[in-house]
Amino acid sequence: MSCHGPAPLPVADRHGTHTADDRTSPAPLRVLLVGGPNVGKSTLFNALTGARQRTTNAPGTTVELATGTWRTAAPGSRDPAIERAVVDLPGTYSLLARSADEQVTADAVRELAWQAPACACAATSRLGVAGVAVVVLDSTALARSLYLLAQVAETGVPLVVALTMLDLAATATDSPTGAMEPQALAAALVAAIGVPVVPVDARNRAHGGLRDLARAVDEVAAHPTHVTGIDVPARTVSDGATAAVLDLAQELTHAETLFAWVERVATCLAQVTTGLAPASDTDADLTCEHPRRHLPSGRGLRGRSSSGRSSGPILSDRIDTVLLNPWAGIPVFLGVVWLLFELTTRLAAPLQDVIDRLVNGALASAVTALLGLVGLDDSWVQGLLVNGLLAGVGTVMTFVPVMAVMFAALGVLEDSGYLARAAFVADRVMRSLGLDGRALLPLIVGFGCNLPAFAATRTLPNARQRLLTGLLVPLTSCSARLTVYVLLAGAFFPDHAGTVIFAMYVTSVLLVLGGGLALRRTLFRDVQAGPLILILPPYQRPHLRTLGMSVRLRVGAFVIGAGKIIVATMLVVWLLMALPATGQYAVGDAPVADSLYGRMASGIAPVLAPAGFGNDHAAAALMTGFVAKEVVVGSFAQSYAVPEPGDPGRAGTLGERLRDSFDASSRGHGGAAALAFMIFVLAYTPCVAALAEQRRLFGWRPTACAVGVQIIAAWVLAVLVFQVGSRL
Amino acid sequence: MSAWAAVLGDAAAHGGTPAQLANRLRLPTALVQAVLDHAERLGVVTVAGQGRHSCGSACPTGSATPPACAGCPLSAG
C-alpha cells in the first residue's frame, strides 16, 4: 500500500497546529466530517468542538477549513478527557471533484484511507488508526447522501454515519423514512450498511446524540468497520487507443454499481418502513428484494411522485412557490438585501460611534495625559501612539460591529435555508459572468460596504469563483464613496446633483459587468458556473448558540488577520505625514504640505493632470482615500484649510475652493475634472481595511495585482471621462 | 433496470429537468439529482447552455477534461 497521499491537512489541538506527519507523540484521533452542502455538517462541527476551533487554509490552496478539538470525558475512568482533532471539510455531493474545495474533501478522505494502521509513515492515534470519517447524512434527502457515503466507503476509510435533520424528516411528507423513529431508522441503516449509525441533533447539545457519536467513533477507531454490500468490479488498466473508451466504460459501470447499492439500501429502508422487514435485521448483505415486486404501490424507492410526495405540500413547499418564482423571488431577494443594508448600517452605526468616541476620544485623551506625566505630550511619540497606533486600532474596532452584524445576518440567512433559494433565483443573471447565483449577494452587499462583501464571498462553493467575485467587489460603489459624490456633485452640478450621483451608481454596475466579462475572457477562462444543482434545505429556525459561535470566530479572524495590516498601514501614513521633507521642522511638527506625504502628493499631481485634477489637493485627498474613502472630504477641508462641512451637500467655502482649483488644473473644465475625479474614486482601491481583508482571503499576489489594475483602470477611465467631457 | 440506467436512458431519450425526469420515472428527485450530478461530472450529461463538462458546444481542455473526452482527437486535454 502506498504511503504517498495528498499533502496532509492541518489539524488543531490545544497545543497548536500539527500535521499527520508529526511522529513525536501519538496524534489525537483525526475525525473528518464529510457531507453534502446544507446537511448540518458545520452545526455538528460547532457542537463537537465548541470554542476549541480555528480556521486555516488547506495546504497549497486558498480553501478555508475549520479545524478543532473534540473533547469528551473518558468513560468510567479518571483519565483526562479524550481529544480528537476534527476537520470540517468543504461540502460536496461527490468525491469526483470539480472545484478546489471539493478536491480538498476528496483528497482528505483518500489521505485518511491511505493511512492504514499497517502504514509506518502515518501517525496513528492511540486507538490504532489515523482517523475516522464521519459521513453526515441528511435524513430528508437520503438517496443523495447515500451516494456520497458509497463513494467514501469504497475508499476503505473507517467510517461512522451521523444522521442529521431528523426533526425535519419527521415532519416532511416527502421523506420516505419520515414516519420512522430516529433510533429505528438508525437501526435499519446499520442493518443495511454494516457500520455504526448515530442520529444526532447538533442543535440540541443536551440530547443530541453527541456522546453516542463519540463512542461510535472510538469503537470504529479501535475496531475498524466498513460498509457492506458494495461490490465494485475490479478495474483494468489499459493503454492505447481503446484506453479512453475503456476508462469511461469502467467509470459508468462503477457508478452503476454504487447507485445500485444506494437503491438497495433505500429499498431496505422502505421495507422496514412498511413493515415488510424487521428494523433489527442483521443480515448485512443487503438481501432486500426489489420493491416493485413486493411493495404496495406508492411505497419504496420507486412508486413515488416526482419529489416522492405522498400527500400535500409542506410549509417549505408553500413558501417556495413564492420565493422560487422569478417574478416574486427577485423582489423578495432585493428586499432581503435592503434589510441587510439597513441592519448593518443602522445597528452598527451607533456602536461604531461609541467605539470611535471611546478609542479616539477617551482612550486617546488618557494616553495623552499619561504621556504628559512623563513629559512626552506634544512629541512625536504622542503622535505615533495616538495618531498612528491608536487611530489604527480604532479603525479596526469600528469595523467590528459592521462585520459582526453582517456575519450574524448571513448566518441567519444561511441557517434558515433562505440563502440557497436566493442563489437559485439569482442564478441566471450571474451566469453571464461565469458565476452562479450565490455571487450576487456579496456584490450587492458591496454597495453598502466592501469589507463585509468580501466576507460574503465565503458563501460561494468554489475558490476561483470566490476570487473572481472578490476582484469585482471593489468596483461596487460603497456608501463611503457617496460622501465624495455628494460633495463634488453639489459643488459642480448643483442643479443635477441627484442625476450625477445616480449615474455614478449606474457606472459602478457597468464596471462590475465589464470587469467581470473582461476577467472571464482573460485570467478566469477556466471559471464556469457549474450547473447549480442544490438540494434546497427545508426552512428551519437558526440556532442562536451556533450562530453566536460562528460570528465570534469570524470576527476574531477578521480582527487578527486584517487588523494587523490596517494598523500597520495607518502607522505608515502617520509616519509619512510626520516626517518633514526639509530640515526646517522637527518630526511631527511639519505642516502637511512640507511633510513627505505632502511632497508625495505634489509628485503624484502631474500624473493626474491628463484627468484634469492634477493639483496637490486632489492628489493628497486620493492618497488619504486609499486609507478610507470617508476621509476624502476631510482631507480636502484640511488641505484647503477650511472647516469640513457638516453636510457634504452644502459644500459652502469648500465648494468654492474646489471649483477654483479644479477649474485651474483643468483649464476651465472643472465640471469634467470633477466627474473624472469621482470616476477615479469609484474605480480605485476602496480602503486599506478592504485591502487587508482581500489579502487575508485571497493572498498577497492577487491582492497586489488587483490594486495595480484598479489604479491603472481608475486613471485610464478618469482621463477618458475628462478628455471626452472637456470637449463636449 | 437500475435507477442509474433509467435516469440516463430517460435523459438521453427525452431530456428535461431533474424534477421532470423524477416524475416520469417515479423516482425521488434527490436520487435523480444525484445520478445527473455524477453523470455530469463524468461528462456524459450536459446541462443546457453550459457546454463545459461535455462536448455540447466546445472541446474541454486541460486537467479538467472529463473522462468522457479522454482520447477524443478534438480534445487537447
Side-chain angles (χ1 to χ4, degrees):
Chain A
M1 179 177 288
S2 169
C3 295
H4 301 287
L9 291 175
V11 292
D13 64 12
R14 62 181 170 180
H15 307 298
T17 301
H18 61 84
T19 69
D21 285 338
D22 182 355
R23 296 167 217 180
T24 55
S25 61
L29 181 72
R30 190 195 294 196
V31 178
L32 302 183
L33 295 186
V34 188
N38 304 317
V39 298
K41 198 161 44 63
S42 296
T43 307
L44 176 60
F45 174 76
N46 286 331
L48 295 178
T49 58
R52 298 174 296 277
Q53 53 178 263
R54 61 195 293 272
T55 54
T56 183
N57 282 357
T61 72
T62 55
V63 178
E64 209 171 66
L65 287 177
T67 61
T69 304
W70 176 20
R71 196 177 295 163
T72 54
S77 76
R78 293 181 182 178
D79 289 346
I82 298 173
E83 289 190 356
R84 306 163 197 85
V86 190
V87 184
D88 182 14
L89 293 170
T92 182
Y93 291 123
S94 171
L95 292 189
L96 190 59
R98 62 176 164 204
S99 73
D101 299 53
E102 292 182 353
Q103 193 63 54
V104 166
T105 301
D107 286 347
V109 171
R110 291 185 183 116
E111 180 208 344
L112 195 59
W114 283 324
Q115 291 176 342
C119 183
C121 68
T124 57
S125 75
R126 63 185 175 77
L127 292 169
V129 297
V132 172
V134 173
V135 182
V136 185
L137 302 191
D138 176 358
S139 308
T140 63
L142 264 181
R144 183 125 211 205
S145 294
L146 282 171
Y147 181 65
L148 179 63
L149 172 66
Q151 286 188 307
V152 175
E154 69 166 345
T155 65
V157 68
L159 64 86
V160 171
V161 168
L163 268 179
T164 59
M165 308 279 184
L166 288 154
D167 51 338
L168 295 168
T171 57
T173 55
D174 59 342
S175 170
T177 52
M180 294 178 75
E181 285 295 319
Q183 295 301 337
L185 176 59
L189 260 176
V190 170
I193 65 180
V195 295
V197 178
V198 183
V200 294
D201 176 8
R203 296 190 296 162
N204 182 353
R205 284 165 66 92
H207 309 288
L210 302 185
R211 277 185 200 164
D212 294 340
L213 186 62
R215 201 174 304 126
V217 164
D218 290 345
E219 280 174 11
V220 166
H223 309 286
T225 52
H226 301 282
V227 169
T228 51
I230 299 179
D231 186 19
V232 180
R235 299 187 198 203
T236 56
V237 179
S238 52
D239 296 315
T242 58
V245 176
L246 203 57
D247 286 348
L248 178 60
Q250 287 185 359
E251 290 286 354
L252 294 174
T253 307
H254 176 236
E256 183 158 23
T257 306
L258 294 187
F259 276 107
W261 178 84
V262 171
E263 275 194 285
R264 285 202 303 275
V265 172
T267 301
C268 281
L269 293 178
Q271 288 184 354
V272 171
T273 310
T274 52
L276 291 179
S280 58
D281 186 355
T282 53
D283 180 1
D285 291 331
L286 282 175
T287 54
C288 302
E289 295 180 60
H290 199 283
R292 281 177 294 185
R293 283 175 287 181
H294 290 278
L295 291 181
S297 175
R299 303 300 304 189
L301 188 61
R302 288 170 186 268
R304 299 184 74 86
S305 65
S306 65
S307 58
R309 290 182 177 83
S310 55
S311 60
I314 59 170
L315 181 63
S316 280
D317 295 336
R318 283 197 290 271
I319 298 172
D320 280 345
T321 55
V322 177
L323 294 189
L324 297 183
N325 179 309
W327 296 104
I330 291 174
V332 170
F333 174 66
L334 293 175
V336 169
V337 174
W338 174 83
L339 199 64
L340 206 64
F341 272 158
E342 287 291 300
L343 274 175
T344 41
T345 51
R346 287 182 190 271
L347 277 183
L351 289 171
Q352 284 183 290
D353 285 344
V354 169
I355 292 171
D356 188 40
R357 280 201 298 273
L358 200 68
V359 176
N360 294 321
L363 195 56
S365 300
V367 172
T368 305
L370 280 175
L371 290 172
L373 292 176
V374 292
L376 286 174
D377 52 337
D378 292 331
S379 67
W380 68 267
V381 178
Q382 184 210 344
L384 175 67
L385 290 179
V386 176
N387 299 328
L389 188 63
L390 209 53
V393 172
T395 303
V396 177
M397 297 312 292
T398 52
F399 275 115
V400 166
V402 179
M403 300 301 281
V405 172
M406 177 57 71
F407 282 134
L410 284 175
V412 168
L413 291 181
E414 199 168 9
D415 289 355
S416 65
Y418 177 71
L419 212 52
R421 270 86 182 171
F424 181 82
V425 294
D427 190 54
R428 185 172 290 180
V429 179
M430 297 312 298
R431 279 186 183 277
S432 60
L433 301 181
L435 300 167
D436 72 38
R438 285 164 281 198
L440 191 62
L441 183 75
L443 291 176
I444 290 183
V445 168
F447 282 95
C449 178
N450 286 183
L451 194 59
F454 285 119
T457 59
R458 75 177 180 82
T459 55
L460 287 162
N462 178 310
R464 291 282 287 167
Q465 286 196 8
R466 280 198 293 274
L467 177 59
L468 175 55
T469 311
L471 293 176
L472 296 178
V473 162
L475 298 174
T476 57
S477 188
C478 66
S479 56
R481 285 152 164 148
L482 182 61
T483 56
V484 184
Y485 305 154
V486 171
L487 174 74
L488 291 175
F492 288 89
F493 312 98
D495 297 332
H496 305 285
T499 309
V500 170
I501 294 168
F502 175 73
M504 291 309 299
Y505 279 88
V506 172
T507 308
S508 174
V509 172
L510 292 176
L511 282 179
V512 169
L513 291 174
L517 289 172
L519 287 170
R520 265 287 310 284
R521 282 166 169 68
T522 52
L523 300 174
F524 288 82
R525 270 181 289 201
D526 60 311
V527 173
Q528 298 266 356
L532 188 65
I533 301 176
L534 282 174
I535 295 285
L536 296 178
Y539 292 99
Q540 53 187 324
R541 197 180 59 211
H543 190 251
L544 283 181
R545 182 188 168 89
T546 308
L547 193 63
M549 199 181 295
S550 162
V551 169
R552 186 178 60 77
L553 281 171
R554 294 189 184 282
V555 169
F558 163 73
V559 169
I560 293 166
K564 54 192 177 192
I565 297 172
I566 296 173
V567 172
T569 310
M570 296 291 279
L571 283 171
V572 169
V573 170
W574 173 84
L575 198 65
L576 290 173
M577 294 180 93
L579 289 175
T582 63
Q584 286 181 295
Y585 301 95
V587 174
D589 285 341
V592 173
D594 286 315
S595 65
L596 277 183
Y597 183 83
R599 292 300 167 92
M600 283 174 70
S602 299
I604 291 171
V607 179
L608 302 173
F613 49 87
N615 59 68
D616 292 0
H617 306 285
L622 290 176
M623 280 172 62
T624 48
F626 193 83
V627 176
K629 294 291 171 288
E630 291 91 337
V631 297
V632 168
V633 175
S635 173
F636 270 134
Q638 197 177 22
S639 67
Y640 287 116
V642 295
E644 185 177 346
D647 176 4
R650 296 176 183 173
T653 314
L654 180 57
E656 291 170 17
R657 299 284 177 87
L658 276 170
R659 281 195 296 273
D660 290 345
S661 64
F662 273 62
D663 278 341
S665 62
S666 64
R667 296 179 184 175
H669 299 288
L675 278 178
F677 186 86
M678 286 191 275
I679 290 288
F680 196 99
V681 167
L682 166 64
Y684 88 119
T685 313
C687 66
V688 70
L691 202 63
E693 183 69 348
Q694 206 173 6
R695 201 276 320 164
R696 186 177 75 85
L697 294 174
F698 307 122
W700 274 117
R701 202 169 153 190
T703 305
C705 290
V707 171
V709 170
Q710 284 159 7
I711 291 172
I712 291 168
W715 185 86
V716 169
L717 287 170
V719 169
L720 203 65
V721 166
F722 175 72
Q723 295 298 334
V724 173
S726 61
R727 283 167 174 74
L728 294 177
Chain B
M1 188 186 287
S2 68
W4 169 260
V7 170
L8 292 191
D10 192 70
H14 308 291
T17 66
Q20 287 169 339
L21 263 67
N23 196 27
R24 285 200 295 262
L25 297 169
R26 295 170 64 78
L27 285 169
T29 308
L31 180 62
V32 173
Q33 285 174 321
V35 169
L36 290 175
D37 180 48
H38 191 72
E40 203 267 342
R41 288 169 193 264
L42 287 174
V44 295
V45 161
T46 189
V47 176
Q50 297 299 307
R52 175 198 175 201
H53 297 288
S54 177
C55 37
S57 62
C59 294
T61 57
S63 60
T65 304
C69 298
C72 170
L74 299 177
S75 172

